[in-house]
Amino acid sequence: MRARAVRRVGLAVIVVGTVGCGGGKVAGDGGGGAGALGERARRVAEAWDGSKAAAVWRAGYHPVGEETRLPRGGLRDEDQQAYERRNLTARGALPDGGPEDGEVAWAAGGSGARPVVSAREAYEALAGPRAAGTPRLVVEEVAAGRMRIDTTRGPASVPAWVFTLDGYASPLVRAAVEPSPTPRSPIGPAHDLPGRRLDRLLDIADDGRSVTVVAVHGVCDDGPRVRARETRGSVVLTTSVVDREGEQTCTAQGKLERVVVKLRAPLGDRVLLDAVSGGPVPYRGPVPGW
């Protein structure tokens, strides 16, 4: 299948280590570089399509949406600061045990059981060491409930812990089930390609016809290019960058940039893969500060 180029949107700068500097070359995008990336994408797709790993991935629970839902309308300024600093405090005792069951029910049909986390584990994932003299977000009560979350298989209803907050009419809700482990890739990572690994998956469009990913590139290039190789069983993404003309002095920084990748067909249950790593593009939530 032919690869498609895509557009870039948004920008953030984060220190990630030493990066290459300009010289007018197309890194991983022209000549032998493009051919090597294309061949790698073909090999990754060939390894995954019809594999046991792909079947295990499709059957699993892999969130691609936030596992924590804030109260309707969001948090007030001081409370938002407290939340970002993980400065929460609970007034009462947290419930013992976990939700009654760990059933994940997909809107498109099908369900599965996953291990659940206790109310204390969910609370400790949100709360850090108490910082003196800073705003606190007060949890008044915790109860078991359910929430909707986006997954690689579409929307699903999952067990959740419902946190009643002081001063808010609607609660903060956090998923109470553990994601499925990532299956071992049938192909190992590539160590000699001009392309870079994708940092993370940010979003899958509601119609499945595009995905938003975060790509890494240097401060001395003209940005990342992400292409998709589509098969019936997978979508393999390759990332390259274009160096700027002329010699430049570069700092040890890199840029993380959102890239919207448009697909020829809806993603559906196809596995979204990173050509360099050889495995599924990871979802780790939004980049802090975006």
Side-chain angles (χ1 to χ4, degrees):
M1 303 281 296
R2 293 180 61 189
R4 294 189 68 183
V6 295
R7 65 189 180 92
R8 296 176 283 147
V9 291
L11 183 67
V13 179
I14 296 180
V15 175
V16 295
T18 304
V19 296
C21 297
K25 297 180 180 180
V26 182
D29 193 49
L37 287 175
E39 174 60 18
R40 170 65 180 181
R42 185 195 65 78
R43 291 180 57 207
V44 171
E46 189 175 72
W48 273 87
D49 289 357
S51 68
K52 180 180 178 180
V56 170
W57 176 266
R58 290 190 183 98
Y61 164 61
H62 304 286
V64 290
E66 282 299 284
E67 295 185 89
T68 302
R69 187 179 68 212
L70 297 178
R72 284 191 298 273
L75 298 170
R76 293 183 286 272
D77 289 345
E78 285 194 351
D79 290 336
Q80 181 65 34
Q81 293 175 23
Y83 174 74
E84 291 173 356
R85 295 171 181 171
R86 304 180 65 217
N87 197 17
L88 278 68
T89 184
R91 280 186 176 157
L94 297 171
D96 294 327
E100 292 183 1
D101 63 73
E103 183 188 41
V104 177
W106 279 273
S111 63
R114 291 299 305 152
V116 296
V117 299
S118 68
R120 178 162 296 279
E121 288 173 308
Y123 173 80
E124 289 176 350
L126 299 171
R130 182 178 298 178
T134 59
R136 297 177 188 172
L137 189 58
V138 179
V139 176
E140 293 186 323
E141 185 179 0
V142 184
R146 295 187 72 84
M147 70 181 291
R148 178 192 179 280
I149 190 168
D150 291 329
T151 78
T152 53
R153 294 172 58 181
S157 171
V158 303
W161 288 111
V162 181
F163 295 83
T164 301
L165 303 179
D166 182 27
Y168 290 87
S170 61
L172 180 151
V173 185
R174 182 171 176 84
V177 287
E178 298 178 359
S180 300
T182 300
R184 182 176 180 179
S185 174
I187 186 171
H191 301 291
D192 56 353
L193 283 177
R196 302 169 185 262
R197 291 191 186 204
L198 288 166
D199 180 77
R200 69 188 71 191
L201 169 66
L202 278 182
D203 183 59
I204 299 173
D206 290 342
D207 62 4
R209 290 188 173 274
S210 68
V211 296
T212 303
V213 295
V214 177
V216 183
H217 66 105
V219 296
C220 291
D221 61 52
D222 283 332
R225 295 181 181 180
V226 182
R227 289 178 167 83
R229 180 184 180 87
E230 301 187 43
T231 71
R232 290 185 177 182
S234 63
V235 175
V236 185
L237 303 181
T238 58
T239 307
S240 58
V241 296
V242 181
D243 289 341
R244 293 175 185 166
E245 294 286 345
E247 295 298 325
Q248 302 177 62
T249 301
C250 299
T251 58
Q253 288 182 324
K255 295 180 181 180
L256 297 183
E257 189 161 338
R258 295 182 185 91
V259 182
V260 178
V261 185
K262 294 187 177 181
L263 306 178
R264 298 182 185 277
L267 181 62
D269 66 352
R270 295 184 293 173
V271 188
L272 185 67
L273 300 164
D274 175 30
V276 175
S277 72
V281 181
Y283 178 85
R284 298 198 299 269
V287 177
W290 279 13

